Amino acid sequence: MRYSELEVKRLLKMSEELSLEDQVKVNILNFIRTIHLNQQDFIASSFDSQFFGELPMTFRKKEGQVMGVVIATVKGQKQMYLFTEDGYERLEDVLG
């Protein structure tokens, strides 16, 4: 999914009605939004952030890499996503 400020705001307004899959989407897009708001150089930055709670997520990227990985645990199942400053995709969709 491509990053869009309007999509993030729309999803945040619906936050109480979101499925777990949509919550994953919101968290990833909001993480990318934070990168944009902080005007970070995505490639020069490194990330190692963890979200805890009902929907645990880990965001990792090393300095110099053009993409990072997100690991989300949804209903006990680990789901992996690749993310850039422009959006994200499920790892299995990229490999499939």
Side-chain angles (χ1 to χ4, degrees):
M1 167 170 264
R2 217 150 152 74
Y3 169 77
S4 162
E5 184 73 24
L6 292 174
E7 180 69 5
V8 173
K9 288 181 179 181
R10 183 186 72 77
L11 289 168
L12 287 173
K13 286 180 184 176
M14 302 172 33
S15 64
E16 291 184 17
E17 306 166 16
L18 296 176
S19 68
L20 285 175
E21 289 295 324
D22 284 339
Q23 289 177 44
V24 169
K25 181 190 304 185
V26 168
N27 287 344
I28 295 172
L29 291 176
N30 204 33
F31 190 85
I32 295 169
R33 177 179 185 235
T34 302
I35 294 166
H36 285 272
L37 291 175
N38 290 331
Q39 299 179 346
Q40 289 177 279
D41 180 342
F42 183 81
I43 294 174
S45 298
S46 65
F47 304 105
D48 190 7
S49 301
Q50 292 186 334
F51 295 171
F52 298 98
E54 182 181 342
L55 186 60
M57 297 179 75
T58 303
F59 294 82
R60 290 200 174 111
K61 187 189 95 56
K62 293 182 181 177
E63 183 178 328
Q65 292 179 330
V66 296
M67 66 181 67
V69 66
V70 178
I71 302 167
T73 305
V74 179
K75 296 182 182 178
Q77 300 281 330
K78 295 214 183 281
Q79 297 178 2
M80 297 183 76
Y81 300 84
L82 298 176
F83 76 99
T84 68
E85 63 187 321
D86 297 320
Y88 75 93
E89 289 189 61
R90 285 184 67 131
L91 181 60
E92 66 185 43
D93 293 345
V94 172
L95 297 176

